[in-house]
Amino acid sequence: MAQVILFNVTNGLIIGAFYVLMALGLSLILNLSNVINFAHGNFLALGGYLAFALSPTLGYWGALLVSPLLTALIGLLVERLMVRRIYNRDPVYSLLLTFGLAFVMQDAARYIWGPNGLPLGLPDILAQPITQNLFFITWYRVFMVTIVIVSVIGLFAFLRYTRVGLRIRAGTFDLETVSTLGINVRNLRTFNFAVGCMLAGLSGVLAAGQIGLNPNMGDELLMPSFIAIIVGGVGSLVGTLFGGLLIGMAAALTTVFYPAASEAVIYAIMMAVLLLRPRGLVGEEGMMS
Amino acid sequence: MTTALVAGKETGASAEQLAAARRVLMLIAIWGALITVPLWLPLLGGYTALAGRVLVFGLAAMGLNMLLGFTGVMSFGHAAYFGLGAYGAGLTLRYLVHSTPLAMLAGTLLGGLAGTLFGLLIVHRRGVYFAMCTIAFGQLWYYLAYSWNSFTGGFDGLRDFHREAIGFGPLRLDIESGGTTFYFFLLGVFAVGVALMGFLLRSPFGRTLLAIRENERRARFLGIPVEQHIWLSFSISCFFTALAGTLYALLNNFADPLALHYSLSGYFLVMTVIGGMRTFWGPLLGAAVFVVLQDYISSMTVNWMSFIGVIFMAVVLFFPRGLLGARRRGAA
C-alpha cells in the first residue's frame, strides 16, 4: 500500500507539474491579452513533434533546448498575423479564432506526422530507474520535475527582476496606464504570447518522453489547465501554480482509492472553489469580473 | 435648414416603413422556405434529415444568441445543456416511459435546471472568465457521460431508444418513421420555441437585456438588477438549447458524449457569428450554412477538421458581422 501511495504521489507531482506549465502559459496570455488560447494544447503537441523531428540531428539535449524556442517563434507569428487583430473586439472572436486554430494545428500534425503514436527516444541515462525496489521512479521523472521547477523559478524571476517582466506584470493590472507611460504594448503582448507558447512547447518535449507523441496529446491537459487557473484565481500566477499542483495531486490520490472518480474530483474542487471562494484560492478581489 | 430637417424626418419615417416591410418580407421568406423544405430540398440533392439538423442546431444557436447577441454575455459551454437535453430525453425513453412529449419535457428540464443552478455560481463573472467557467462546467458532463458506462452507454453513446408516435385522443402523429411528418413535427416545436423567444426579447425584459448589453454600468445606475437579469437570460437560454437537445436525441434516436463536448459549443458560437450575432434570425442562417458545409466537406475529405478550423478563423478575421449583420450595417 505504501508503494501504491508513493507511486501515485509521484504521479500526481508529475501530472501536476504538467498542469502547472500549461496553465502558467495560458494564464500569462489570459492576463495580459484577455485571450483564452484554445490552441495551447496544440502548441504543446507542436513542441513535442518538433523535438521528434530535431532530435536525429541535434540529439535529445539539443532538441530540448531548440524545440521550445521554435514553438515560441511560431506562437509569435500566430500572434502577429492573427490574434492581435482581434484584441479590441468582443471576446467571442478571440475564442473562436484560437478554437479554429486548434483544429487546424491538430489536423496539420496528423497530416505531417500521421495519426498514430510516435515515441521520442530518451538518452540512456534518463531511462534508468534510480533504485531497483522503487522501479517506477526513473531518472527521467526526476529530470522532468527538476526542469519544471527550474523553469517556474526562472519565469517568476524573469517577471520580478527584468524590465520586460515588470512591464508584463504591470500590464496585467492596468494595460492602459502602461501604454500611457510610453511602453509599446503591442510588442509586449506579442512577446508575452510567445513566452506562453514556449512554456507549452517545453511541456510538450517533456511529455513526449513520458507518454509518446500523438496529434491530440495536448487536449487532455487543456481542461485541467483551465480548472487550475479558475481554482488558483484568475490574474494570479502564484494561484495558477498552486491550483495546478493541487488538482494534479488530488486526481492522483483519488486514483489510489477510487480510480473512476479521478477526473470528477478535479471538477468537484472547481465547483467548491466557485461556490465558497469565487475569486480563487490566491486570486485578487475583482480580478475575475 | 428647416426643410433639410423635415426632409430628414420624412426619409426617416419612410425608412422605418421600409424596414417594417422588409421584416415582413423576410418572415414570409423564412417561414415559406422552412415549410416547403420537403418539396425543394430533394431537388437540390439534400435529404430531409439534413433540414431537421438545421432546425435543431438553429434552435440551439438561437437560444445561445439570446445570451450572446442580446445580453452581451458569452457562454462557451452551451453544448452541455444541449447534450443534457439529449441525454435527458434519451434516458427517459429508454428507462422510464415510452412517451415523446414526456421525454422532451424531462430533457428540457434537466438541461435548463442545470444551467439555472450553475448560472448562480458564475453570474458575477464577465467576458472570457465567464466563458472559461462555462467551458469547464460543460466538460464535467462530458466526462460523466463518458465514464458512466452502464447508465449512459459511455463513449459509444446511448442507444436502444427511439421516438414514439404521439397521440392526441383520436389524432395520431406518426413521427416514428422519420421523413416528412417528423420534419413538420420538428418545425412545429421550432416555431413554438422561436415564437416564445421572440416574445421574450420584445418584452420589457428583453429590452432590459439589450440595455445591459449596450452599457452595463449605465443599466446598473438606472437601478436594473444586472446580475439577476444575466442569470435569467442564461437560464432561459439554457432551456431553449436543452429543448433543441431533446429534438437532437429524437432526430438520431441516439445521444453521444460529443453532444456534450465543448467543440459543439464552438460550433454553436460560429453558427451564430456566421449568421450575425446581433440579429434574431442570424443563428438559423448560420446553422444552415454550417450544417451544409460540414456535410459537404466531411463527405469530400478526411481532413475536414482543417476546413472547419479555417472557416472559424476566416469568419473571425474577415467576416465578423455575419451574413445578416453585414446587410444591416446602415440600419444599426
Side-chain angles (χ1 to χ4, degrees):
Chain A
M1 193 65 192
Q3 274 232 347
V4 176
I5 291 180
L6 188 62
F7 173 70
N8 282 290
V9 167
T10 52
N11 256 354
L13 202 64
I14 287 164
I15 295 170
F18 279 117
Y19 290 168
V20 166
L21 265 196
M22 266 290 272
L24 280 178
L26 270 170
S27 208
L28 273 178
I29 296 169
L30 179 68
N31 291 347
L32 193 66
S33 301
N34 216 24
V35 167
I36 296 177
N37 184 14
F38 263 112
H40 214 66
N42 304 91
F43 280 105
L44 178 142
L46 181 68
Y49 277 112
L50 285 175
F52 176 80
L54 292 171
S55 59
T57 40
L58 297 177
Y60 178 81
W61 303 106
L64 179 68
L65 202 68
V66 174
S67 161
L69 291 175
L70 276 180
T71 313
L73 187 68
I74 292 167
L76 186 140
L77 288 176
V78 164
E79 203 273 353
R80 270 283 151 105
L81 296 175
M82 288 184 287
V83 179
R84 71 158 41 171
R85 290 159 175 251
I86 42 100
Y87 281 148
N88 295 326
R89 293 216 226 125
D90 191 294
V92 67
Y93 293 111
S94 68
L95 266 89
L96 288 179
L97 181 75
T98 56
F99 188 74
L101 182 68
F103 270 37
V104 172
M105 285 178 75
Q106 194 182 116
D107 222 23
R110 191 173 294 132
Y111 186 74
I112 299 171
W113 287 288
N116 301 318
L118 294 169
L120 178 68
L122 292 176
D124 286 337
I125 176 153
L126 289 181
Q128 304 293 327
I130 294 177
T131 66
Q132 284 308 317
N133 52 356
L134 291 175
F135 59 93
F136 45 83
I137 304 181
T138 57
W139 279 112
Y140 187 62
R141 295 186 151 213
V142 178
F143 173 70
M144 276 194 294
V145 174
T146 315
I147 293 278
V148 171
I149 291 171
V150 168
S151 24
V152 169
I153 292 174
L155 177 72
F156 278 90
F158 161 73
L159 290 174
R160 188 166 293 263
Y161 298 114
T162 67
R163 192 172 286 256
V164 181
L166 283 173
R167 285 173 181 170
I168 288 176
R169 276 172 59 218
T172 301
F173 284 104
D174 191 345
L175 198 63
E176 219 163 293
T177 308
V178 172
S179 177
T180 318
L181 290 172
I183 287 157
N184 188 332
V185 170
R186 283 162 70 86
N187 288 346
L188 193 67
R189 279 175 154 176
T190 308
F191 179 76
N192 181 62
F193 195 94
V195 172
C197 292
M198 188 180 78
L199 293 178
L202 178 64
S203 15
V205 186
L206 294 177
Q210 179 75 17
I211 57 169
L213 290 153
N214 70 72
N216 36 0
M217 62 189 283
D219 289 8
E220 283 160 34
L221 288 173
L222 188 65
M223 211 46 62
S225 305
F226 284 175
I227 295 174
I229 294 174
I230 296 173
V231 166
V234 172
S236 159
L237 289 177
V238 181
T240 303
L241 176 66
F242 285 121
L245 282 177
L246 175 72
I247 61 171
M249 289 304 268
L253 286 177
T254 316
T255 311
V256 182
F257 302 104
Y258 190 58
S262 64
E263 198 83 47
V265 76
I266 297 179
Y267 291 96
I269 292 175
M270 177 188 79
M271 298 299 283
V273 166
L274 281 179
L275 194 63
L276 302 174
R277 200 178 158 85
R279 65 184 144 128
L281 296 178
V282 194
E284 303 276 332
E285 191 81 63
M287 280 304 283
M288 285 278 272
S289 45
Chain B
M1 188 67 191
T2 330
T3 46
L5 267 179
V6 171
K9 252 182 197 162
E10 269 173 6
T11 49
S14 67
E16 225 164 70
Q17 283 169 349
L18 207 67
R22 201 182 277 167
R23 197 157 51 232
V24 171
L25 272 179
M26 197 167 126
L27 281 178
I28 292 173
I30 290 169
W31 289 111
L34 287 176
I35 289 169
T36 53
V37 155
L39 296 177
W40 57 263
L41 192 66
L43 300 177
L44 297 178
Y47 44 98
T48 320
L50 196 67
R53 210 149 77 212
V54 170
L55 283 183
V56 169
F57 286 148
L59 181 59
M62 286 172 85
L64 168 64
N65 195 37
M66 187 174 164
L67 186 68
L68 178 72
F70 291 92
T71 319
V73 173
M74 178 179 41
S75 158
F76 213 108
H78 259 51
Y81 314 107
F82 185 81
L84 280 174
Y87 271 96
L91 291 169
T92 308
L93 279 173
R94 180 166 172 187
Y95 295 112
L96 292 176
V97 282
H98 293 293
S99 156
T100 303
L102 281 180
M104 287 172 61
L105 183 69
T108 310
L109 282 178
L110 181 66
L113 290 178
T116 307
L117 288 180
F118 184 61
L120 273 180
L121 287 186
I122 55 168
V123 71
H124 291 276
R125 313 277 175 279
R126 291 293 176 273
V128 283
Y129 308 130
F130 188 94
M132 198 156 80
C133 294
T134 57
I135 301 165
F137 182 69
Q139 283 305 95
L140 165 66
W141 301 103
Y142 172 76
Y143 281 111
L144 195 66
Y146 188 93
S147 39
W148 199 353
N149 233 319
S150 55
F151 188 54
T152 62
F155 183 67
D156 295 328
L158 184 69
R159 291 169 193 281
D160 300 326
F161 70 87
H162 56 91
R163 52 180 185 263
E164 302 281 337
I166 302 174
F168 297 106
L171 274 173
R172 200 177 136 84
L173 203 56
D174 188 22
I175 56 169
E176 280 172 292
S177 56
T180 317
T181 320
F182 182 59
Y183 174 76
F184 281 116
F185 169 74
L186 287 179
L187 187 59
V189 178
F190 175 82
V192 172
V194 164
L196 189 61
M197 203 183 301
F199 171 75
L200 280 171
L201 287 174
R202 277 164 177 270
S203 71
F205 170 72
R207 298 296 162 185
T208 314
L209 295 184
L210 284 187
I212 294 172
R213 176 191 84 186
E214 289 303 319
N215 194 328
E216 188 186 319
R217 185 173 295 179
R218 194 172 293 173
R220 199 182 292 281
F221 288 161
L222 284 172
I224 295 169
V226 171
E227 270 75 30
Q228 193 185 321
H229 277 79
I230 289 178
W231 176 54
L232 271 176
S233 171
F234 183 74
S235 161
I236 295 170
S237 137
C238 291
F239 271 101
F240 280 119
T241 305
L243 174 66
T246 66
L247 295 179
Y248 184 71
L250 297 179
L251 177 68
N252 300 324
N253 284 325
F254 177 59
D256 63 326
L258 289 180
L260 290 159
H261 195 263
Y262 69 87
S263 301
L264 189 63
S265 305
Y267 295 165
F268 291 154
L269 280 173
V270 88
M271 286 171 196
T272 308
V273 174
I274 288 176
M277 67 174 187
R278 293 286 165 92
T279 63
F280 186 73
W281 291 104
L284 179 67
L285 188 63
V289 171
F290 188 82
V291 166
V292 170
L293 268 180
Q294 194 188 26
D295 189 65
Y296 180 69
I297 293 170
S298 58
S299 69
M300 297 293 285
T301 164
V302 290
N303 293 345
W304 60 272
M305 271 181 86
S306 304
F307 284 90
I308 299 288
V310 168
I311 290 172
F312 269 69
M313 288 153 67
V315 165
V316 168
L317 291 176
F318 306 117
F319 207 55
R321 284 167 167 277
L323 292 166
L324 294 181
R327 198 179 55 78
R328 285 197 183 165
R329 189 185 302 237

